[in-house]
Amino acid sequence: MNIVVNPGKMIDFHSHILPGIDDGSKNIEESLAMLEMSANQGITGIALTPHFYADKDTPEQFLKRRNAAMEQLLAVRQPHYPKMFAGAEVRYFPGMQRTEEILQLRLEETPYLLVEMPFTLWTSRMADEILELNQKKDIQVVLAHIDRYLSMQKPKTIEMIWKCGVLLQANADSFLTWRECWRMLRLMKQGRISFLGSDCHNLTTRPPCLAQALEVIVKRLGPQVIETMKTENEQVLWGGELIR
């Protein structure tokens, strides 16, 4: 594959590369191969965001497993691999805005909290809870893979959440299918997508594919959209010097 876009310090903000912790990478060998694939695409920073389900885990149990998997991966990572930052993809649950432990699931020492919403029509209560969570000190909510919810929600709900300061992350593969691409390009052009993520789970059906999405975006919208996002992304992690 010929990569025509150099992402620089753009972050893959959503991945399931940590070995053996969720439905992503099954073992260390697969994790290393996914990191190699990301490196070959020019990605230099990657958020490791395994699923957190409040009905199946406590934050303490989850963090113990996540940190163990992280240390296992760091012990064998190669210098040319992307820098790795530990976080979580937190499935929405009622009352999450009142849960103090939620702070432990942010992306390392940043305020960014990646939240996965239900794949149903969101109620006003759900939206209100997300907005209340976003208003908490030291938390900036980022909605995971916004592309996967759009067809299920009222446009005014997405509009309201975005205008109230909740950030949106889009999956790379949504730019690679004609049914989704036009809608996601419109959101990109409007400046409503703050982060891109591969949401990679494996090497076959859901591999790292961020570079392919960047190529489509640059071809359709020009390089400035990506340059702006790259600058903003750098401030998330590199601006705070959170480099492993």
Side-chain angles (χ1 to χ4, degrees), residues 12-243:
D12 182 345
F13 203 79
H14 185 169
S15 75
H16 297 270
I17 287 178
L18 283 177
I21 192 170
D22 60 7
D23 60 340
S25 172
K26 297 298 184 290
N27 51 55
I28 193 71
E29 291 77 18
E30 186 172 28
S31 297
L32 292 175
M34 293 166 76
L35 287 171
E36 185 72 40
M37 186 178 291
S38 297
N40 289 340
Q41 295 182 25
I43 304 303
T44 54
I46 190 161
L48 307 180
T49 52
H51 292 288
F52 172 79
Y53 302 113
D55 58 343
K56 298 180 180 179
D57 233 340
T58 66
E60 291 75 18
Q61 292 169 335
F62 169 82
L63 290 172
K64 184 177 180 179
R65 293 187 296 109
R66 187 202 69 183
N67 293 343
M70 185 77 173
E71 291 304 317
Q72 182 185 12
L73 196 53
L74 284 171
V76 293
R77 77 175 287 271
Q78 299 299 309
H80 66 283
Y81 288 172
K83 301 292 191 286
M84 297 184 291
F85 306 93
E89 181 184 5
V90 182
R91 173 72 63 86
Y92 164 86
F93 60 93
M96 66 188 304
Q97 79 279 13
R98 297 189 298 272
T99 306
E100 288 302 319
E101 292 83 358
I102 206 79
L103 289 167
Q104 302 175 49
L105 303 177
R106 296 171 299 174
L107 185 63
E108 297 224 354
E109 299 172 21
T110 77
Y112 295 92
L113 181 72
L114 188 64
V115 176
E116 180 180 50
M117 293 297 287
F119 293 97
T120 59
L121 180 66
W122 303 338
T123 64
S124 57
R125 175 187 173 184
M126 291 175 184
D128 288 345
E129 287 186 325
I130 290 299
L131 295 180
E132 186 177 341
L133 178 63
N134 197 57
Q135 291 167 1
K136 289 177 69 71
K137 183 180 179 181
D138 299 326
I139 287 184
Q140 171 61 66
V141 174
V142 180
L143 292 191
H145 43 59
I146 190 65
D147 44 285
R148 299 179 65 185
Y149 314 122
L150 289 178
S151 63
M152 308 173 191
Q153 310 308 320
K154 297 176 181 177
K156 64 180 182 180
T157 301
I158 302 292
E159 179 81 6
M160 180 267 295
I161 286 176
W162 178 75
K163 284 187 174 180
C164 288
V166 173
L167 302 182
L168 309 180
Q169 176 257 312
N171 275 6
D173 60 6
S174 67
F175 293 91
L176 305 179
T177 59
W178 67 270
R179 288 187 300 177
E180 295 290 337
C181 183
W182 65 270
R183 181 161 50 186
M184 300 312 300
L185 287 170
R186 183 174 62 187
L187 291 179
M188 283 289 297
K189 187 174 182 179
Q190 293 170 344
R192 301 195 176 193
I193 304 299
S194 294
F195 301 104
L196 295 175
S198 64
D199 198 2
C200 57
H201 280 62
N202 52 52
L203 295 168
T204 53
T205 58
R206 301 180 70 179
C209 61
L210 199 58
Q212 294 97 310
L214 294 175
E215 290 183 18
V216 171
I217 295 168
V218 169
K219 181 179 179 180
R220 299 293 183 87
L221 301 180
Q224 188 55 48
V225 172
I226 293 301
E227 289 303 316
T228 299
M229 177 174 283
K230 186 194 305 182
T231 299
E232 294 171 352
N233 280 203
E234 286 182 24
Q235 294 304 311
V236 172
L237 297 180
W238 279 273
E241 298 184 354
L242 295 177
I243 301 179

